[in-house]
């Protein structure tokens, strides 16, 4: 007997990497081995020396094929075993290990938009729908588009054992969100990438495209983000640590260091309108969805909890955003003795 292992990896496309996958047939009970691929077809190699290596790092049940079949998320390596330049997970690993004692937790809110042809799902041909407002967490055929895809995606994420924690319709027709977490920096990013894979594959079955474009419809429509909720053990116990983290994110060059790596075309979304802060100005505040970083109201009341970085785009690399938040905030907390 045998099973199908779907190897999944992140390619080298710029400015926004794409997911790739291919199938390997393995004997029952066999662990997914190191495999390879043609990097010249994924923007990860030149044709004259195109072999690249897939090293499995996260394996879970395949809810699409079912049975004993598996999804196999991989890091991309050079043939000598060193991480490929596109391998952002490898950059996260030492940072996560360095600050592991601070017990960082993440919850990432992945917004996305369904497209049918050239228009968002629910946009009428040759026109526009009613203004945004009643679509958010909406109910009814006039407000909700693509729910059958969303529900199937949720079921598949649960069947795969991913730490998905919720879904909701967003403010524009055809726009939705799922949340992954709480989980550590590597785990939340691994699970988010696999959840994205399942989203694309599920939408594919309906002839619909799921896009992470940060501004899928120009004009008076919200963009699509990946709001990132973050805490450490100290932040979950102390409001002073919350303020230390917020201040650290605004120090010196840190705002631009983060924003420049929070997803392509971020300036199209972070305009200061539609519940965003301007891309080139940093701010934080309690219950303020127009700030760069929001402190939830209950965190101020409880004097402990977490913060929400509202700047990351829907198309952000989760390995990058978790690395940046851990390195910036944990270093500041360590310096302040708030660990």
């Amino acid at each position: 007997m045998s099973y199908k292992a779907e190897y999944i990896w992140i390619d080298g496309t710029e400015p926004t990497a794409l997911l790739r996958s291919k199938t390997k047939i393995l004997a029952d009970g066999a662990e997914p081995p190191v495999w390879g691929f043609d990097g010249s077809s994924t923007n990860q190699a030149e044709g004259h020396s195109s072999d690249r290596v897939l090293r499995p790092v996260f394996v879970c049940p395949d809810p699409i094929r079912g049975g004993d079949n598996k999804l196999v998320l991989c890091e991309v390596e050079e043939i000598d075993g060193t991480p490929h330049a596109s391998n952002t997970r490898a950059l996260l690993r030492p940072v996560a290990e360095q600050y592991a004692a601070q017990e960082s937790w993440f919850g990432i809110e992945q917004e996305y938009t369904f497209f049918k042809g050239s228009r968002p799902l629910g946009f009428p041909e040759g026109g526009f729908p009613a203004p945004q407002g009643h679509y958010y967490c909406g109910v009814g055929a006039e407000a909700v588009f693509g729910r059958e895809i969303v529900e199937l995606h949720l079921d598949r994420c649960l069947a795969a054992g991913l730490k998905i924690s919720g879904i909701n319709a967003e403010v524009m027709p055809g726009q939705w969100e799922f949340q992954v977490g709480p989980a550590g920096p590597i785990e939340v990013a691994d699970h988010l990438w696999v959840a994205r894979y399942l989203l694309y594959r599920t939408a594919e079955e309906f002839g619909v495209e799921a896009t992470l474009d940060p501004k899928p419809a120009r004009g008076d429509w919200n963009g699509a983000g990946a709001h990132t909720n973050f805490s450490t053990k100290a932040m979950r116990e102390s409001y002073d640590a919350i303020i230390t983290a917020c201040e650290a994110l605004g120090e010196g060059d840190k705002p631009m260091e983060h924003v420049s790596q929070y997803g392509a075309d971020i300036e199209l979304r972070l305009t200061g309108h539609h519940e965003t802060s301007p891309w080139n100005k940093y701010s934080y505040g309690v219950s303020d969805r127009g700030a760069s970083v929001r402190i939830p109201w209950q965190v101020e009341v409880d004097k402990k909890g977490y913060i929400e970085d509202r700047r990351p785009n829907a198309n952000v690399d989760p390995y990058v955003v978790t690395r940046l938040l851990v390195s910036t905030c944990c270093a500041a907390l360590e310096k302040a003795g708030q660990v």
Side-chain angles (χ1 to χ4, degrees), residues 262-290:
Y262 273 5
D265 296 325
I266 199 164
E267 69 280 358
L268 299 180
R269 177 177 148 265
L270 296 185
T271 61
H273 304 288
H274 304 112
E275 299 181 302
T276 70
S277 61
W279 66 272
N280 57 353
K281 294 182 180 179
Y282 176 79
S283 62
Y284 70 90
V286 175
S287 198
D288 186 357
R289 283 179 166 78

Side-chain angles (χ1 to χ4, degrees), residues 86-149:
S86 63
N87 184 348
T88 54
R89 190 180 189 274
L91 298 176
L92 168 60
R93 282 190 277 112
V95 175
E97 291 167 7
Q98 179 181 355
Y99 296 107
Q102 293 198 38
E103 299 179 22
S104 296
W105 290 357
F106 288 87
I108 301 180
E109 306 169 28
Q110 178 68 74
E111 295 177 343
Y112 60 93
T113 309
F114 289 133
F115 267 67
K116 187 72 172 180
S118 62
R119 302 181 67 79
L121 196 65
F123 273 48
E125 290 293 333
F128 291 89
Q132 64 184 36
H134 69 294
Y135 307 108
Y136 173 71
C137 296
V139 178
E142 80 287 353
V144 175
F145 307 90
R147 191 186 295 277
E148 67 277 16
I149 310 174

Side-chain angles (χ1 to χ4, degrees), residues 105-109 227-231 294 296 306-309:
W105 290 357
F106 288 87
I108 301 180
E109 306 169 28
H227 302 152
T228 301
N229 301 283
F230 169 74
S231 70
R294 178 178 71 95
Y306 67 97
I307 60 175
E308 178 195 39
D309 192 337

